PDB file of all heavy atoms in Angstrom:
ATOM      1  N   ALA B  59      -4.783  -3.682  -7.056  1.00  0.00           N
ATOM      2  CA  ALA B  59      -5.307  -3.674  -8.421  1.00  0.00           C
ATOM      3  C   ALA B  59      -5.013  -2.339  -9.102  1.00  0.00           C
ATOM      4  O   ALA B  59      -4.701  -2.280 -10.302  1.00  0.00           O
ATOM      5  CB  ALA B  59      -6.810  -3.954  -8.393  1.00  0.00           C
ATOM      6  N   GLU B  60      -5.090  -1.265  -8.329  1.00  0.00           N
ATOM      7  CA  GLU B  60      -4.781   0.075  -8.849  1.00  0.00           C
ATOM      8  C   GLU B  60      -3.301   0.154  -9.266  1.00  0.00           C
ATOM      9  O   GLU B  60      -2.975   0.610 -10.367  1.00  0.00           O
ATOM     10  CB  GLU B  60      -5.098   1.108  -7.749  1.00  0.00           C
ATOM     11  CG  GLU B  60      -4.906   2.548  -8.168  1.00  0.00           C
ATOM     12  CD  GLU B  60      -5.278   3.543  -7.054  1.00  0.00           C
ATOM     13  OE1 GLU B  60      -5.723   3.125  -5.966  1.00  0.00           O
ATOM     14  OE2 GLU B  60      -5.111   4.749  -7.289  1.00  0.00           O
ATOM     15  N   VAL B  61      -2.419  -0.318  -8.393  1.00  0.00           N
ATOM     16  CA  VAL B  61      -0.984  -0.278  -8.706  1.00  0.00           C
ATOM     17  C   VAL B  61      -0.666  -1.166  -9.910  1.00  0.00           C
ATOM     18  O   VAL B  61       0.229  -0.851 -10.691  1.00  0.00           O
ATOM     19  CB  VAL B  61      -0.141  -0.676  -7.472  1.00  0.00           C
ATOM     20  CG1 VAL B  61       1.314  -0.886  -7.861  1.00  0.00           C
ATOM     21  CG2 VAL B  61      -0.236   0.389  -6.403  1.00  0.00           C
ATOM     22  N   ASN B  62      -1.402  -2.262 -10.068  1.00  0.00           N
ATOM     23  CA  ASN B  62      -1.151  -3.114 -11.238  1.00  0.00           C
ATOM     24  C   ASN B  62      -1.423  -2.370 -12.543  1.00  0.00           C
ATOM     25  O   ASN B  62      -0.716  -2.584 -13.529  1.00  0.00           O
ATOM     26  CB  ASN B  62      -1.977  -4.403 -11.168  1.00  0.00           C
ATOM     27  CG  ASN B  62      -1.277  -5.457 -10.333  1.00  0.00           C
ATOM     28  OD1 ASN B  62      -0.135  -5.289  -9.921  1.00  0.00           O
ATOM     29  ND2 ASN B  62      -1.977  -6.552 -10.080  1.00  0.00           N
ATOM     30  N   ILE B  63      -2.417  -1.503 -12.562  1.00  0.00           N
ATOM     31  CA  ILE B  63      -2.639  -0.693 -13.776  1.00  0.00           C
ATOM     32  C   ILE B  63      -1.447   0.241 -13.976  1.00  0.00           C
ATOM     33  O   ILE B  63      -0.898   0.348 -15.066  1.00  0.00           O
ATOM     34  CB  ILE B  63      -3.959   0.108 -13.699  1.00  0.00           C
ATOM     35  CG1 ILE B  63      -5.154  -0.843 -13.577  1.00  0.00           C
ATOM     36  CG2 ILE B  63      -4.095   1.008 -14.944  1.00  0.00           C
ATOM     37  CD1 ILE B  63      -6.498  -0.130 -13.470  1.00  0.00           C
ATOM     38  N   VAL B  64      -1.026   0.903 -12.898  1.00  0.00           N
ATOM     39  CA  VAL B  64       0.102   1.839 -12.988  1.00  0.00           C
ATOM     40  C   VAL B  64       1.371   1.107 -13.440  1.00  0.00           C
ATOM     41  O   VAL B  64       2.099   1.588 -14.304  1.00  0.00           O
ATOM     42  CB  VAL B  64       0.350   2.542 -11.634  1.00  0.00           C
ATOM     43  CG1 VAL B  64       1.560   3.473 -11.728  1.00  0.00           C
ATOM     44  CG2 VAL B  64      -0.880   3.308 -11.181  1.00  0.00           C
ATOM     45  N   ALA B  65       1.618  -0.065 -12.857  1.00  0.00           N
ATOM     46  CA  ALA B  65       2.881  -0.766 -13.109  1.00  0.00           C
ATOM     47  C   ALA B  65       2.882  -1.514 -14.433  1.00  0.00           C
ATOM     48  O   ALA B  65       3.934  -1.656 -15.059  1.00  0.00           O
ATOM     49  CB  ALA B  65       3.171  -1.746 -11.961  1.00  0.00           C
ATOM     50  N   HIS B  66       1.725  -2.035 -14.849  1.00  0.00           N
ATOM     51  CA  HIS B  66       1.739  -2.975 -15.973  1.00  0.00           C
ATOM     52  C   HIS B  66       0.953  -2.522 -17.206  1.00  0.00           C
ATOM     53  O   HIS B  66       1.128  -3.094 -18.265  1.00  0.00           O
ATOM     54  CB  HIS B  66       1.201  -4.339 -15.529  1.00  0.00           C
ATOM     55  CG  HIS B  66       1.893  -4.912 -14.330  1.00  0.00           C
ATOM     56  ND1 HIS B  66       3.224  -5.252 -14.333  1.00  0.00           N
ATOM     57  CD2 HIS B  66       1.447  -5.168 -13.079  1.00  0.00           C
ATOM     58  CE1 HIS B  66       3.560  -5.715 -13.132  1.00  0.00           C
ATOM     59  NE2 HIS B  66       2.498  -5.675 -12.350  1.00  0.00           N
ATOM     60  N   ALA B  67       0.042  -1.547 -17.062  1.00  0.00           N
ATOM     61  CA  ALA B  67      -0.824  -1.188 -18.198  1.00  0.00           C
ATOM     62  C   ALA B  67      -0.571   0.256 -18.647  1.00  0.00           C
ATOM     63  O   ALA B  67       0.273   0.958 -18.078  1.00  0.00           O
ATOM     64  CB  ALA B  67      -2.285  -1.398 -17.827  1.00  0.00           C
ATOM     65  N   PHE B  68      -1.293   0.702 -19.672  1.00  0.00           N
ATOM     66  CA  PHE B  68      -1.100   2.059 -20.210  1.00  0.00           C
ATOM     67  C   PHE B  68      -2.030   3.043 -19.526  1.00  0.00           C
ATOM     68  O   PHE B  68      -1.646   4.143 -19.154  1.00  0.00           O
ATOM     69  CB  PHE B  68      -1.327   2.074 -21.720  1.00  0.00           C
ATOM     70  CG  PHE B  68      -0.606   0.969 -22.440  1.00  0.00           C
ATOM     71  CD1 PHE B  68      -1.223   0.254 -23.450  1.00  0.00           C
ATOM     72  CD2 PHE B  68       0.701   0.619 -22.079  1.00  0.00           C
ATOM     73  CE1 PHE B  68      -0.553  -0.775 -24.114  1.00  0.00           C
ATOM     74  CE2 PHE B  68       1.373  -0.409 -22.727  1.00  0.00           C
ATOM     75  CZ  PHE B  68       0.739  -1.112 -23.743  1.00  0.00           C
ATOM     76  N   LYS B  69      -3.295   2.661 -19.409  1.00  0.00           N
ATOM     77  CA  LYS B  69      -4.233   3.487 -18.665  1.00  0.00           C
ATOM     78  C   LYS B  69      -5.454   2.657 -18.314  1.00  0.00           C
ATOM     79  O   LYS B  69      -5.681   1.588 -18.891  1.00  0.00           O
ATOM     80  CB  LYS B  69      -4.649   4.714 -19.468  1.00  0.00           C
ATOM     81  CG  LYS B  69      -5.393   4.409 -20.740  1.00  0.00           C
ATOM     82  CD  LYS B  69      -5.881   5.711 -21.343  1.00  0.00           C
ATOM     83  CE  LYS B  69      -6.673   5.432 -22.614  1.00  0.00           C
ATOM     84  NZ  LYS B  69      -7.255   6.637 -23.179  1.00  0.00           N
ATOM     85  N   GLY B  70      -6.232   3.146 -17.355  1.00  0.00           N
ATOM     86  CA  GLY B  70      -7.387   2.363 -16.955  1.00  0.00           C
ATOM     87  C   GLY B  70      -8.422   3.198 -16.236  1.00  0.00           C
ATOM     88  O   GLY B  70      -8.197   4.377 -15.937  1.00  0.00           O
ATOM     89  N   VAL B  71      -9.553   2.579 -15.995  1.00  0.00           N
ATOM     90  CA  VAL B  71     -10.631   3.224 -15.251  1.00  0.00           C
ATOM     91  C   VAL B  71     -11.052   2.291 -14.123  1.00  0.00           C
ATOM     92  O   VAL B  71     -11.220   1.086 -14.324  1.00  0.00           O
ATOM     93  CB  VAL B  71     -11.856   3.511 -16.166  1.00  0.00           C
ATOM     94  CG1 VAL B  71     -12.975   4.156 -15.363  1.00  0.00           C
ATOM     95  CG2 VAL B  71     -11.470   4.388 -17.330  1.00  0.00           C
ATOM     96  N   ILE B  72     -11.200   2.887 -12.942  1.00  0.00           N
ATOM     97  CA  ILE B  72     -11.702   2.130 -11.792  1.00  0.00           C
ATOM     98  C   ILE B  72     -13.137   2.579 -11.553  1.00  0.00           C
ATOM     99  O   ILE B  72     -13.394   3.776 -11.446  1.00  0.00           O
ATOM    100  CB  ILE B  72     -10.892   2.454 -10.520  1.00  0.00           C
ATOM    101  CG1 ILE B  72      -9.426   2.074 -10.716  1.00  0.00           C
ATOM    102  CG2 ILE B  72     -11.480   1.752  -9.298  1.00  0.00           C
ATOM    103  CD1 ILE B  72      -8.540   2.483  -9.548  1.00  0.00           C
ATOM    104  N   SER B  73     -14.059   1.650 -11.467  1.00  0.00           N
ATOM    105  CA  SER B  73     -15.394   2.049 -11.035  1.00  0.00           C
ATOM    106  C   SER B  73     -15.729   1.325  -9.744  1.00  0.00           C
ATOM    107  O   SER B  73     -15.429   0.134  -9.570  1.00  0.00           O
ATOM    108  CB  SER B  73     -16.436   1.803 -12.124  1.00  0.00           C
ATOM    109  OG  SER B  73     -16.725   0.443 -12.192  1.00  0.00           O
ATOM    110  N   ALA B  74     -16.273   2.085  -8.825  1.00  0.00           N
ATOM    111  CA  ALA B  74     -16.606   1.558  -7.502  1.00  0.00           C
ATOM    112  C   ALA B  74     -18.099   1.728  -7.289  1.00  0.00           C
ATOM    113  O   ALA B  74     -18.621   2.839  -7.384  1.00  0.00           O
ATOM    114  CB  ALA B  74     -15.843   2.314  -6.430  1.00  0.00           C
ATOM    115  N   ASP B  75     -18.762   0.619  -7.034  1.00  0.00           N
ATOM    116  CA  ASP B  75     -20.208   0.651  -6.826  1.00  0.00           C
ATOM    117  C   ASP B  75     -20.496   0.195  -5.391  1.00  0.00           C
ATOM    118  O   ASP B  75     -20.274  -0.965  -5.054  1.00  0.00           O
ATOM    119  CB  ASP B  75     -20.879  -0.275  -7.847  1.00  0.00           C
ATOM    120  CG  ASP B  75     -22.389  -0.090  -7.852  1.00  0.00           C
ATOM    121  OD1 ASP B  75     -22.889   0.742  -7.057  1.00  0.00           O
ATOM    122  OD2 ASP B  75     -23.062  -0.777  -8.637  1.00  0.00           O
ATOM    123  N   ILE B  76     -20.934   1.145  -4.586  1.00  0.00           N
ATOM    124  CA  ILE B  76     -21.189   0.836  -3.179  1.00  0.00           C
ATOM    125  C   ILE B  76     -22.693   0.725  -2.957  1.00  0.00           C
ATOM    126  O   ILE B  76     -23.445   1.637  -3.287  1.00  0.00           O
ATOM    127  CB  ILE B  76     -20.601   1.934  -2.259  1.00  0.00           C
ATOM    128  CG1 ILE B  76     -19.086   2.039  -2.478  1.00  0.00           C
ATOM    129  CG2 ILE B  76     -20.920   1.641  -0.798  1.00  0.00           C
ATOM    130  CD1 ILE B  76     -18.435   3.188  -1.736  1.00  0.00           C
ATOM    131  N   SER B  77     -23.114  -0.415  -2.416  1.00  0.00           N
ATOM    132  CA  SER B  77     -24.534  -0.600  -2.085  1.00  0.00           C
ATOM    133  C   SER B  77     -24.646  -0.868  -0.591  1.00  0.00           C
ATOM    134  O   SER B  77     -23.646  -0.827   0.131  1.00  0.00           O
ATOM    135  CB  SER B  77     -25.106  -1.774  -2.874  1.00  0.00           C
ATOM    136  OG  SER B  77     -24.543  -2.975  -2.384  1.00  0.00           O
ATOM    137  N   ASN B  78     -25.845  -1.172  -0.115  1.00  0.00           N
ATOM    138  CA  ASN B  78     -26.014  -1.493   1.305  1.00  0.00           C
ATOM    139  C   ASN B  78     -25.301  -2.782   1.671  1.00  0.00           C
ATOM    140  O   ASN B  78     -24.863  -2.952   2.800  1.00  0.00           O
ATOM    141  CB  ASN B  78     -27.496  -1.640   1.653  1.00  0.00           C
ATOM    142  CG  ASN B  78     -28.176  -0.289   1.639  1.00  0.00           C
ATOM    143  OD1 ASN B  78     -27.538   0.736   1.875  1.00  0.00           O
ATOM    144  ND2 ASN B  78     -29.464  -0.282   1.345  1.00  0.00           N
ATOM    145  N   SER B  79     -25.202  -3.691   0.704  1.00  0.00           N
ATOM    146  CA  SER B  79     -24.681  -5.016   1.042  1.00  0.00           C
ATOM    147  C   SER B  79     -23.179  -5.151   0.807  1.00  0.00           C
ATOM    148  O   SER B  79     -22.557  -6.052   1.351  1.00  0.00           O
ATOM    149  CB  SER B  79     -25.424  -6.078   0.245  1.00  0.00           C
ATOM    150  OG  SER B  79     -25.264  -5.827  -1.134  1.00  0.00           O
ATOM    151  N   GLY B  80     -22.588  -4.260  -0.005  1.00  0.00           N
ATOM    152  CA  GLY B  80     -21.157  -4.424  -0.249  1.00  0.00           C
ATOM    153  C   GLY B  80     -20.626  -3.476  -1.295  1.00  0.00           C
ATOM    154  O   GLY B  80     -21.313  -2.552  -1.731  1.00  0.00           O
ATOM    155  N   ILE B  81     -19.388  -3.735  -1.698  1.00  0.00           N
ATOM    156  CA  ILE B  81     -18.749  -2.898  -2.716  1.00  0.00           C
ATOM    157  C   ILE B  81     -18.311  -3.780  -3.878  1.00  0.00           C
ATOM    158  O   ILE B  81     -17.819  -4.899  -3.683  1.00  0.00           O
ATOM    159  CB  ILE B  81     -17.555  -2.101  -2.129  1.00  0.00           C
ATOM    160  CG1 ILE B  81     -16.931  -1.182  -3.186  1.00  0.00           C
ATOM    161  CG2 ILE B  81     -16.483  -3.028  -1.543  1.00  0.00           C
ATOM    162  CD1 ILE B  81     -15.997  -0.127  -2.589  1.00  0.00           C
ATOM    163  N   LYS B  82     -18.543  -3.260  -5.081  1.00  0.00           N
ATOM    164  CA  LYS B  82     -18.067  -3.941  -6.283  1.00  0.00           C
ATOM    165  C   LYS B  82     -17.118  -3.004  -7.012  1.00  0.00           C
ATOM    166  O   LYS B  82     -17.481  -1.877  -7.353  1.00  0.00           O
ATOM    167  CB  LYS B  82     -19.246  -4.305  -7.179  1.00  0.00           C
ATOM    168  CG  LYS B  82     -18.814  -5.008  -8.453  1.00  0.00           C
ATOM    169  CD  LYS B  82     -20.013  -5.491  -9.253  1.00  0.00           C
ATOM    170  CE  LYS B  82     -19.540  -6.223 -10.501  1.00  0.00           C
ATOM    171  NZ  LYS B  82     -20.669  -6.726 -11.294  1.00  0.00           N
ATOM    172  N   LEU B  83     -15.896  -3.479  -7.217  1.00  0.00           N
ATOM    173  CA  LEU B  83     -14.863  -2.681  -7.880  1.00  0.00           C
ATOM    174  C   LEU B  83     -14.548  -3.321  -9.224  1.00  0.00           C
ATOM    175  O   LEU B  83     -14.287  -4.524  -9.290  1.00  0.00           O
ATOM    176  CB  LEU B  83     -13.595  -2.661  -7.023  1.00  0.00           C
ATOM    177  CG  LEU B  83     -13.763  -2.089  -5.610  1.00  0.00           C
ATOM    178  CD1 LEU B  83     -12.640  -2.567  -4.704  1.00  0.00           C
ATOM    179  CD2 LEU B  83     -13.790  -0.570  -5.671  1.00  0.00           C
ATOM    180  N   VAL B  84     -14.594  -2.513 -10.277  1.00  0.00           N
ATOM    181  CA  VAL B  84     -14.207  -3.017 -11.594  1.00  0.00           C
ATOM    182  C   VAL B  84     -13.056  -2.158 -12.093  1.00  0.00           C
ATOM    183  O   VAL B  84     -13.166  -0.929 -12.150  1.00  0.00           O
ATOM    184  CB  VAL B  84     -15.379  -2.976 -12.594  1.00  0.00           C
ATOM    185  CG1 VAL B  84     -14.934  -3.523 -13.951  1.00  0.00           C
ATOM    186  CG2 VAL B  84     -16.560  -3.783 -12.067  1.00  0.00           C
ATOM    187  N   LEU B  85     -11.926  -2.800 -12.403  1.00  0.00           N
ATOM    188  CA  LEU B  85     -10.747  -2.082 -12.888  1.00  0.00           C
ATOM    189  C   LEU B  85     -10.475  -2.544 -14.309  1.00  0.00           C
ATOM    190  O   LEU B  85     -10.120  -3.709 -14.526  1.00  0.00           O
ATOM    191  CB  LEU B  85      -9.535  -2.348 -12.005  1.00  0.00           C
ATOM    192  CG  LEU B  85      -9.701  -1.899 -10.544  1.00  0.00           C
ATOM    193  CD1 LEU B  85     -10.154  -3.037  -9.675  1.00  0.00           C
ATOM    194  CD2 LEU B  85      -8.425  -1.276 -10.026  1.00  0.00           C
ATOM    195  N   GLU B  86     -10.696  -1.663 -15.246  1.00  0.00           N
ATOM    196  CA  GLU B  86     -10.559  -2.041 -16.646  1.00  0.00           C
ATOM    197  C   GLU B  86      -9.412  -1.247 -17.259  1.00  0.00           C
ATOM    198  O   GLU B  86      -9.409  -0.018 -17.172  1.00  0.00           O
ATOM    199  CB  GLU B  86     -11.879  -1.716 -17.355  1.00  0.00           C
ATOM    200  CG  GLU B  86     -11.937  -2.250 -18.748  1.00  0.00           C
ATOM    201  CD  GLU B  86     -13.322  -2.806 -19.085  1.00  0.00           C
ATOM    202  OE1 GLU B  86     -14.306  -2.293 -18.521  1.00  0.00           O
ATOM    203  OE2 GLU B  86     -13.395  -3.743 -19.894  1.00  0.00           O
ATOM    204  N   ASP B  87      -8.439  -1.951 -17.839  1.00  0.00           N
ATOM    205  CA  ASP B  87      -7.321  -1.201 -18.416  1.00  0.00           C
ATOM    206  C   ASP B  87      -7.079  -1.531 -19.870  1.00  0.00           C
ATOM    207  O   ASP B  87      -7.522  -2.559 -20.379  1.00  0.00           O
ATOM    208  CB  ASP B  87      -6.035  -1.407 -17.591  1.00  0.00           C
ATOM    209  CG  ASP B  87      -5.440  -2.809 -17.694  1.00  0.00           C
ATOM    210  OD1 ASP B  87      -5.194  -3.287 -18.820  1.00  0.00           O
ATOM    211  OD2 ASP B  87      -5.210  -3.423 -16.629  1.00  0.00           O
ATOM    212  N   GLU B  88      -6.409  -0.584 -20.527  1.00  0.00           N
ATOM    213  CA  GLU B  88      -5.824  -0.834 -21.842  1.00  0.00           C
ATOM    214  C   GLU B  88      -4.356  -1.122 -21.583  1.00  0.00           C
ATOM    215  O   GLU B  88      -3.673  -0.313 -20.963  1.00  0.00           O
ATOM    216  CB  GLU B  88      -5.954   0.408 -22.718  1.00  0.00           C
ATOM    217  CG  GLU B  88      -7.377   0.694 -23.138  1.00  0.00           C
ATOM    218  CD  GLU B  88      -7.518   2.058 -23.803  1.00  0.00           C
ATOM    219  OE1 GLU B  88      -6.553   2.523 -24.448  1.00  0.00           O
ATOM    220  OE2 GLU B  88      -8.599   2.655 -23.644  1.00  0.00           O
ATOM    221  N   GLY B  89      -3.909  -2.270 -22.036  1.00  0.00           N
ATOM    222  CA  GLY B  89      -2.523  -2.625 -21.745  1.00  0.00           C
ATOM    223  C   GLY B  89      -2.143  -3.916 -22.423  1.00  0.00           C
ATOM    224  O   GLY B  89      -2.848  -4.370 -23.320  1.00  0.00           O
ATOM    225  N   PRO B  90      -1.046  -4.521 -21.969  1.00  0.00           N
ATOM    226  CA  PRO B  90      -0.537  -5.725 -22.635  1.00  0.00           C
ATOM    227  C   PRO B  90      -1.399  -6.962 -22.394  1.00  0.00           C
ATOM    228  O   PRO B  90      -1.278  -7.940 -23.128  1.00  0.00           O
ATOM    229  CB  PRO B  90       0.851  -5.906 -22.013  1.00  0.00           C
ATOM    230  CG  PRO B  90       0.751  -5.253 -20.678  1.00  0.00           C
ATOM    231  CD  PRO B  90      -0.186  -4.100 -20.860  1.00  0.00           C
ATOM    232  N   GLY B  91      -2.247  -6.923 -21.361  1.00  0.00           N
ATOM    233  CA  GLY B  91      -3.016  -8.113 -21.021  1.00  0.00           C
ATOM    234  C   GLY B  91      -2.163  -9.146 -20.311  1.00  0.00           C
ATOM    235  O   GLY B  91      -0.947  -8.962 -20.154  1.00  0.00           O
ATOM    236  N   ILE B  92      -2.794 -10.201 -19.854  1.00  0.00           N
ATOM    237  CA  ILE B  92      -2.097 -11.257 -19.106  1.00  0.00           C
ATOM    238  C   ILE B  92      -2.244 -12.569 -19.879  1.00  0.00           C
ATOM    239  O   ILE B  92      -3.338 -13.104 -19.993  1.00  0.00           O
ATOM    240  CB  ILE B  92      -2.696 -11.413 -17.690  1.00  0.00           C
ATOM    241  CG1 ILE B  92      -2.665 -10.072 -16.943  1.00  0.00           C
ATOM    242  CG2 ILE B  92      -1.953 -12.503 -16.915  1.00  0.00           C
ATOM    243  CD1 ILE B  92      -3.338 -10.108 -15.578  1.00  0.00           C
ATOM    244  N   PRO B  93      -1.125 -13.081 -20.442  1.00  0.00           N
ATOM    245  CA  PRO B  93      -1.213 -14.302 -21.249  1.00  0.00           C
ATOM    246  C   PRO B  93      -1.632 -15.532 -20.449  1.00  0.00           C
ATOM    247  O   PRO B  93      -2.373 -16.358 -20.936  1.00  0.00           O
ATOM    248  CB  PRO B  93       0.213 -14.488 -21.794  1.00  0.00           C
ATOM    249  CG  PRO B  93       0.971 -13.260 -21.433  1.00  0.00           C
ATOM    250  CD  PRO B  93       0.218 -12.513 -20.383  1.00  0.00           C
ATOM    251  N   ASP B  94      -1.142 -15.663 -19.232  1.00  0.00           N
ATOM    252  CA  ASP B  94      -1.434 -16.864 -18.437  1.00  0.00           C
ATOM    253  C   ASP B  94      -1.859 -16.415 -17.029  1.00  0.00           C
ATOM    254  O   ASP B  94      -1.016 -16.092 -16.184  1.00  0.00           O
ATOM    255  CB  ASP B  94      -0.175 -17.747 -18.386  1.00  0.00           C
ATOM    256  CG  ASP B  94      -0.423 -19.060 -17.646  1.00  0.00           C
ATOM    257  OD1 ASP B  94      -1.395 -19.145 -16.856  1.00  0.00           O
ATOM    258  OD2 ASP B  94       0.365 -19.999 -17.857  1.00  0.00           O
TER     259      ASP B  94
END
Side-chain angles (χ1 to χ4, degrees):
Chain B
E60 183 178 358
V61 169
N62 276 353
I63 299 179
V64 178
H66 306 297
F68 312 137
K69 63 173 182 175
V71 179
I72 299 175
S73 76
D75 191 359
I76 300 174
S77 69
N78 288 333
S79 59
I81 182 165
K82 180 174 182 179
L83 301 159
V84 180
L85 299 95
E86 189 140 30
D87 70 54
E88 290 170 30
I92 304 175
D94 183 340

